[in-house]
Amino acid sequence: MLWKARVRVTLKNGILDPQGKVLEGSLDRLGYKEVREVRVGKYMEIALEAEDAPGARARVEEMCRRLLANPVIENFAVDIEPCDAMAAMAGTPGTSGAPCATGVAR
Amino acid sequence: MSGGSGMDMKSMKKMKVGVVIFPGSNCDHDCYHAAQVMGMEAEYIWHAARDVSGFDCIILPGGFSYGDYLRAGAVARFSPVMEAVTKFAERGGLVLGICNGFQILLEAGLLPGAMMRNRNLKFICKTIHLRVENAGTPFTGACTPGQVLAVPIAHGEGNYYIDPEGLRELNANKQVVFRYCDSHGAVTDEANPNGSCDNIAGIINREGNVLGMMPHPERCVERVLGGEDGRFVFASLLKHWSQGGGCDAGCALA
């Protein structure tokens, strides 16, 4: 069945994030004095076929280790949920399950 | 080329350099040209190639392979040619990664560490100074230790990162080959253009046959282009090659 993986790739703690620093400064200038830190990461959605959720997770985590994240500087987190193919085909998000990204419906 | 001319065949043979072209490489022609200017024989290698044997040195040129999507070099490292380049390196073949080529070597795990966005978030294109930290490599043997070279950089992601333990190892094994410095050779934070850890501009693997550097030596081998210090890198390769070539000839770091 079709699953949807949400992948978040973030810089490891302690690694300077130049983009985050710039946004911190910008938010401060906009008056958000309460901001203590900003870290910029990447978010990806992957639709994939797998027998079950653990199987889908195992595959996506392998993808993260091999390509999607650089283990030297980045951590990753993966969420797996059923992909509602019907909603994806109809292009109507908000129904049960998670609609897939355009182009993966079949 | 028939015998009996009295010419030593070896003296006519040229060092053969392969320049890999990835989709998005844009310094491939510069590398090819520089190698020829320096008296080497140069040949292009398409990224789909699965065999890189027969070369004395492989250059991974600068550019934006695969559009720098995801991370610079992250996609290129999985192109077919990189499997062949990895085998070539494992057999002791000389591999020089410049700029994007350095990023690809990092992503491929042929060199330790990773590249981050420049600390000022800007793409920096200017001539900087480098100090030769290890003149005992096949890539720097024509330099004197501590020599200062003026070489251009052109990158947005050249902020080298390695964890403290990895940095200790690099220093202990003399794997840091180039550091950013001022025109007098002083390694200072002001002379660090991109925020690189320990001012690192170029490193070599433990075995001493794979070098990655962010600056572009191929862009400064002729005076008409503003400088000739890049010649030292190519001259070093030629010196190493003429003294026996392969990595068996003692290029491993002591």
Side-chain angles (χ1 to χ4, degrees), chain A residues 11 15-16 18-19 22 42 44 66-70 72-74, chain B residues 70-71 74 77-78 107 113-119 121 159 161:
Chain A
L11 281 175
I15 292 190
L16 178 73
Q19 294 183 86
V22 167
K42 292 173 187 147
M44 300 161 220
R66 294 186 65 194
L67 173 67
L68 303 179
N70 181 339
V72 178
I73 48 173
E74 293 170 328
Chain B
L70 192 63
R71 298 178 306 275
R77 69 147 294 195
F78 289 109
E107 285 284 344
M115 282 299 172
M116 315 261 303
R117 292 282 296 276
N118 293 346
R119 65 178 160 188
L121 297 180
N159 182 351
Y161 172 82

